[in-house]
Amino acid sequence: MKAVTWQGKRDVRVEEVPDPKIQEPTDAVIRVTSTGLCGSDLHLYEVLTPFMTPGDILGHEPMGIVEEVGPEVPNLKPGDRVVVPFQIACGHCYMCDTGLPTQCETTQVTGEGMGAPLFGYTRLYGAVPGGQAEYLRVPQAHYGPIKVPDGPPDDRFVYLSDVLPTAWQAVQYAAVPQGGTVAVLGLGPIGDMACRVAQAKGAGRVFGVDLVPERLRRAEARGVETYDLRAFDSEKELVAAVQDRTDGRGPDAVIDAVGTEAHGGAIAKLVQQGAAIMPRKLSGPMAERFSVDRLAALYTAIALVRRGGTISLSGVYGGMADPMPMLTMFDKQIQLRMGQANVRRWSDEIIPYLTDEDPLGVHDFATHRVPLTEAPRAYEMFQKKQDGAVKVLMQP
């Protein structure tokens, strides 16, 4: 089959690889019909290279048709249409029962000290072959895949794999009061969808911050009050502008949908780039012990949120030696929540919004649809924010 493989920093290729097969009785194999390109994939493309191995199959946002199931998957059969969550969990351990499948005790990558494995996402998370491929082996298929009806286009459901639950959890963790205010930093796929979810769940005002004109226009068209970073000479000016719209206090909550690849942070950027070009035997241990994130977005969130407010992190951070302004955070009595989205925890709440009325705008959420064979160009376009790329779907 054809699959998108990682070969090095900014080097992905579509290659012929062996077809996946049933390996465990709880496995399924699906034929992928749509698969997304995520902002998290760009971390593999650019930042997290010390944890990658040439030939790794990328992608964690697939949906498709069940081709084969193992004997311990009673709830699926060939021909079923399913969305595959990006994490792999058992559904019956203590952590899964408490709504935290990202911490599944059955599947945890204990050798790396990490939580549940993720499709297509570094050796830290199990180096499981991902979903940017023609076919995908799905472990723990008795629990993970979400069955969806035939008929509507893939666009209605494919975002259940990651975008929708990640945005949903970001808003839930932000604890925006009914009629309250929330600022979203970064209007890529997750930030854009988080704005829509916040509006749908009763936020009074939603502020969106970015520096890409197409993304700002896209959010503004849906009623988000947008702020272009390029219009401000400093973070203080941006903070003051938003505070002016919130009775001088700042928003009740801030969602950081940017993560480690924020603008600024020149020293951290140098460390990241240095690790990416070092020999793998050196770069991996160095990154695990001394990695530093570019924290511009998080620092802005801390400055921006009102006293006693909540910061919700959905952007990916991976640093082990990040300096945090603990004095400010303590003094402002900030609440901080974060983590990978627990897809199955939220999927049943989200599905009622995926109707013909389309309140979250999923039908036209993708800006680009390309064949799987064009993945290298899609990665480059998305990484460079070219051609108005916000969300890319690939069809094998």
Side-chain angles (χ1 to χ4, degrees), residues 94-157:
Y94 172 83
M95 286 294 177
C96 288
D97 285 344
T98 56
L100 292 171
T102 55
Q103 311 304 323
C104 175
E105 292 177 327
T106 301
T107 65
Q108 281 177 9
V109 187
T110 54
E112 300 288 350
M114 306 299 279
L118 312 179
F119 287 103
Y121 214 79
T122 83
R123 66 170 174 78
L124 295 179
Y125 287 101
V128 181
Q132 291 173 4
E134 293 182 303
Y135 294 90
L136 175 68
R137 171 182 167 252
V138 182
Q140 305 293 329
H142 61 284
Y143 172 67
I146 303 164
K147 286 200 286 189
V148 297
D150 295 328
D154 281 6
D155 290 48
R156 181 176 297 190
F157 303 114

Side-chain angles (χ1 to χ4, degrees), residues 14-35:
V14 179
E15 297 188 321
E16 289 287 338
V17 302
D19 290 351
K21 297 179 180 180
I22 299 290
Q23 298 177 21
E24 301 290 340
T26 53
D27 285 353
V29 172
I30 72 164
R31 174 175 56 83
V32 178
T33 56
S34 290
T35 184

Side-chain angles (χ1 to χ4, degrees), residues 149-288:
D150 295 328
D154 281 6
D155 290 48
R156 181 176 297 190
F157 303 114
V158 67
Y159 305 116
L160 282 169
S161 59
D162 183 352
V163 173
L164 280 166
T166 298
W168 195 274
Q169 179 171 294
V171 175
Q172 289 290 118
Y173 280 9
V176 186
Q178 285 291 307
T181 55
V182 57
V184 179
L185 306 182
L187 297 174
I190 302 302
D192 186 339
M193 186 58 73
C195 290
R196 302 178 188 204
V197 170
Q199 291 170 325
K201 291 178 68 63
R205 299 172 75 182
V206 179
F207 308 104
V209 181
D210 207 298
L211 45 70
V212 181
E214 295 88 350
R215 297 182 178 191
L216 291 161
R217 287 195 296 268
R218 182 174 155 109
E220 189 172 3
R222 295 189 66 92
V224 176
E225 300 178 42
T226 58
Y227 293 83
D228 187 340
L229 274 177
R230 300 170 303 170
F232 300 93
D233 292 330
S234 67
E235 175 195 84
K236 288 183 178 180
E237 287 188 9
L238 169 66
V239 169
V242 178
Q243 286 177 337
D244 284 346
R245 307 299 297 274
T246 54
D247 298 323
R249 286 188 292 268
D252 299 308
V254 176
I255 295 172
D256 173 0
V258 178
T260 188
E261 289 193 88
H263 67 284
I267 294 176
K269 179 179 180 181
L270 183 63
V271 172
Q272 288 177 347
Q273 292 179 338
I277 62 175
M278 290 175 67
R280 293 182 66 250
K281 288 184 178 179
L282 298 176
S283 63
M286 175 182 169
E288 288 180 53

